[in-house]
Amino acid sequence: MAAPVELRVRASGGEYPIYIGSGLLGEADYLLPHLGAQALLVADAAVADFAGAIERACSGRGQFGRLLLPSPVAKTAASLERIYTRLIEGGYSRDCTLIALGGGSAGDLVGYAAATYQRGVDFIQAPTTLLGQVDASVGGKTAIDHPLGKNLIGAFHQPRAVLIDLATLDSLPERELRAGLAEVLKYGLIADADGFFDWVQGRARDLLGRDPGALAEAVRRSCGIKAEIVQADEREQTGARALLNLGHTFGHAIEAWQGYGDWNHGEAVAAGLVMAADFSWRSGRLGLDDAVRIRGAVEALGLPSAPPAGMQPEDFLRLMGRDKKNRAGVLRLIVLNGIGRAELIADPDPDLLHQTLAAGGGLARG
Amino acid sequence: MAAPVELRVRASGGEYPIYIGSGLLGEADYLLPHLGAQALLVADAAVADFAGAIERACSGRGQFGRLLLPSPVAKTAASLERIYTRLIEGGYSRDCTLIALGGGSAGDLVGYAAATYQRGVDFIQAPTTLLGQVDASVGGKTAIDHPLGKNLIGAFHQPRAVLIDLATLDSLPERELRAGLAEVLKYGLIADADGFFDWVQGRARDLLGRDPGALAEAVRRSCGIKAEIVQADEREQTGARALLNLGHTFGHAIEAWQGYGDWNHGEAVAAGLVMAADFSWRSGRLGLDDAVRIRGAVEALGLPSAPPAGMQPEDFLRLMGRDKKNRAGVLRLIVLNGIGRAELIADPDPDLLHQTLAAGGGLARG
């Protein structure tokens, strides 16, 4: 294989690498240096082939176990319990390493297991979806869901390495590919390094067509932006990291309203990006032309640019009130002061917010 | 009330105070500065009176909730779930503060809930047993038990403050008082600051008689030694913190063998201290006179100085193999090179260890 791109992320516990390349997961060189004497690979059963490649690459090096979880991986207490039980029964000690192979859910779940087993063991992120590669795998956020809400139980726990094998994208369902592109577009909106937003908009067809060069570039630049942000605010304390939530306050409300069964995360975020642009325009922060460009880019990626039919402003307000970014009951929102210039604000103007919610990100109907 | 003693503990997230005094929990001055806009007091139902005192002291300051857990508090996934549900249903956001009121189990459980709710919220330790005051409440170790083992699921999460109200000891059952004294004696063995071991031995009757001055001094000196050690090794990485586990490798095995239903933690540790002294003597590290003094001190505190009848060397070896201190299957043990001089060793001599286990800490029967 060609040598992978390597990015590095500084974190309180030490620096860790992100490797981006095609065929990585079969290469011992990128796996073994990060493994302890005992390793447990926990994988989404849908990517069992890649699990086999990892296992072959690691063969003969200490204790190596494999646990396949039913696909799609559920970020539940029950899944967590399966991992704990396997670790305990297998005699895994505190110097073991977990490998999380699968989408963002697998990464969040296995990362959280690593954060809490024996008060913390090492883990490696091996994301196999575009969404996981550009978002969940970098930055150390781990979590499971609670029956009363998503991601409510979790920890910050940095991986020892992130192995992004672009070959995993070949078999990714079309709809999941688009979901990942919503997050890619988000990076162009919050940090327009070298005109990344324009680049994404211009290469929309290539990205949807899985052009390997375009996808590699999208992953590299997205991870680079995310790495910059998370190393500036590892534990979400300064507000810098909150910018990564652009579009997510609306998006999470959409997902919750649908009961997490209809749109996927990226689709909900896509509509949320347009709504954030709409609110930014209504509050005089963003030009109408830029807001319209954002909507156009979302649509060019085949993603929804408005909330689901039937969802009312009251639904949004009720569900947005539960957002983890909020402080002491005050709503916080990420807005755009221009493309590539995001800002966290507290207590957004309720009238303007209501207009955005009523217009459904419509931009022209306010 | 008289002004409390204040110790300070340095930690990666900032320094935190330990206040030691009588009547603290009814004093707003020691509570309010450490609370966020929302606070949830989670208490062992056995100390509901102190919960009431805290609630009165905090009245009128933002949202304040109270959750009483059945006594004795179970460090289980089910207890944790009760806390999460109460937090979510009560609309507690990431800037809330939990208050853990009760023994070491309450502190471990509530601390772990704080470590993981919304990826970490603040918490205050308000320990109401001597064991909790001198051990569990300081240092940021939090955990719950797994059906397959104690404390296997947890996190390092430092409290914002530790409030040790010595008035809580007035109603502490005699047997729990003695259990706490086992840990006090341990501090004298691992760090004999100013002859602390001699002091404990000399004041054994006063301590058992709940002399307020003696108990205050025992708590202050124990917390001081623990603070020194945990700030040198916050996340148990250098081995310094492992010294706090003197006697615990044997003690944990005893507790596990009994199914956690017979001796309490302090009683098991007491026997473990004598066994550690026995092994240290057999391996030429500790004089026989010192080993005998240690056994005498344990007995003067009314604590068991030998393992339970019927427990075989094979039982110890099997259960000690699961200790979290072990690395890659190699047993690690804390030994004494003298009173006040503890050391972590790997792979203790199996023959000598077997002699200790067979002699049951008997010292003379080897």
Side-chain angles (χ1 to χ4, degrees), chain B:
Chain B
M1 58 169 279
V5 168
E6 180 179 349
L7 305 173
R8 298 195 71 85
V9 187
R10 290 187 305 276
S12 55
E15 214 178 53
Y16 61 90
I18 305 172
Y19 294 109
I20 304 167
S22 192
L24 274 180
L25 295 180
E27 300 282 330
D29 288 355
Y30 300 100
L31 288 159
L32 295 182
H34 308 292
L35 295 188
Q38 301 171 299
L40 179 66
L41 168 63
V42 184
D44 184 322
V47 290
D49 287 356
F50 288 100
I54 291 176
E55 198 166 7
R56 282 189 297 278
C58 296
S59 66
R61 267 289 294 264
Q63 180 182 346
F64 191 95
R66 181 167 77 163
L67 173 62
L68 292 184
L69 298 176
S71 188
V73 169
K75 290 165 56 176
T76 58
S79 298
L80 187 64
E81 176 55 31
R82 280 193 66 178
I83 301 174
Y84 289 149
T85 298
R86 176 62 182 269
L87 287 166
I88 299 166
E89 291 184 344
Y92 287 86
S93 68
R94 205 184 279 174
D95 54 354
C96 72
T97 306
L98 305 192
I99 304 170
L101 179 73
S105 291
D108 284 2
L109 167 70
V110 179
Y112 184 63
T116 53
Y117 180 61
Q118 300 211 10
R119 297 197 187 93
V121 300
D122 285 346
F123 81 115
I124 292 174
Q125 289 277 21
T128 61
T129 64
L130 183 59
L131 189 63
Q133 290 171 357
V134 300
D135 185 26
S137 69
V138 175
K141 273 197 182 182
T142 72
I144 59 169
D145 298 329
H146 186 276
L148 297 176
K150 300 280 281 181
N151 291 321
L152 287 179
I153 312 303
F156 288 96
H157 190 57
Q158 302 295 334
R160 294 284 289 183
V162 182
L163 306 184
I164 299 179
D165 190 338
L166 297 169
T168 58
L169 300 183
D170 295 346
S171 55
L172 190 69
E174 168 74 16
R175 195 171 163 190
E176 290 194 47
L177 180 75
R178 289 199 305 264
L181 292 173
E183 295 283 352
V184 170
L185 189 69
K186 179 197 75 177
Y187 289 110
L189 292 173
I190 59 178
D192 195 32
D194 306 318
F196 187 44
F197 175 82
D198 291 342
W199 182 91
V200 175
Q201 196 176 25
R203 303 286 310 257
R205 284 186 60 145
D206 296 331
L207 291 165
L208 287 171
R210 305 189 197 219
D211 176 277
L215 284 176
E217 180 74 358
V219 171
R220 183 185 70 74
R221 291 174 76 161
S222 296
C223 286
I225 293 170
K226 177 142 191 188
E228 285 294 323
I229 290 175
V230 300
Q231 66 194 6
D233 182 19
E234 183 174 339
R235 296 179 74 97
E236 210 155 44
Q237 291 168 324
T238 70
R241 190 163 179 157
L243 302 185
L244 294 168
N245 258 308
L246 177 68
H248 284 59
T249 310
F250 300 108
H252 289 154
I254 292 171
E255 290 182 271
W257 183 75
Q258 293 181 328
Y260 300 91
D262 197 350
W263 289 6
N264 64 32
H265 177 69
E267 289 163 343
V269 166
L273 291 174
V274 179
M275 296 180 79
D278 180 279
F279 177 80
S280 301
W281 161 63
R282 286 176 200 275
S283 54
R285 292 177 168 90
L286 184 72
L288 180 60
D289 52 339
D290 280 340
V292 169
R293 276 180 72 207
I294 291 168
R295 186 178 60 189
V298 164
E299 290 172 349
L301 292 170
L303 289 160
S305 60
M311 189 169 174
Q312 301 301 322
E314 295 67 33
D315 299 321
F316 273 103
L317 291 172
R318 176 173 51 85
L319 295 163
M320 289 163 70
R322 296 192 196 156
D323 195 90
K324 285 201 292 300
K325 283 190 300 300
N326 299 341
R327 289 289 179 274
V330 175
L331 183 65
R332 309 213 301 175
L333 194 65
I334 320 297
V335 296
L336 289 172
N337 296 315
I339 285 177
R341 291 188 290 130
E343 180 187 355
L344 173 67
I345 64 165
D347 211 5
D349 183 293
D351 289 339
L352 296 177
L353 182 60
H354 198 276
Q355 287 176 28
T356 290
L357 299 176
L363 294 170
R365 282 180 278 156

Side-chain angles (χ1 to χ4, degrees), chain A residues 117-206:
Chain A
Y117 180 62
Q118 300 211 11
R119 297 197 187 92
V121 300
D122 285 346
F123 82 115
I124 291 174
Q125 287 278 21
T128 61
T129 64
L130 183 59
L131 189 63
Q133 290 171 356
V134 300
D135 185 25
S137 68
V138 175
K141 275 198 182 180
T142 72
I144 60 168
D145 298 329
H146 186 276
L148 297 177
K150 300 280 280 182
N151 291 321
L152 287 179
I153 312 304
F156 288 96
H157 191 58
Q158 302 294 334
R160 295 283 289 183
V162 181
L163 306 184
I164 298 179
D165 190 338
L166 297 168
T168 59
L169 300 182
D170 295 345
S171 55
L172 190 69
E174 168 74 17
R175 196 171 162 189
E176 290 194 47
L177 180 75
R178 288 199 305 265
L181 292 174
E183 295 282 352
V184 170
L185 189 68
K186 179 198 75 178
Y187 289 110
L189 292 173
I190 59 179
D192 194 32
D194 306 318
F196 187 44
F197 175 81
D198 291 341
W199 182 89
V200 176
Q201 197 177 25
R203 305 282 313 256
R205 286 185 60 145
D206 295 333

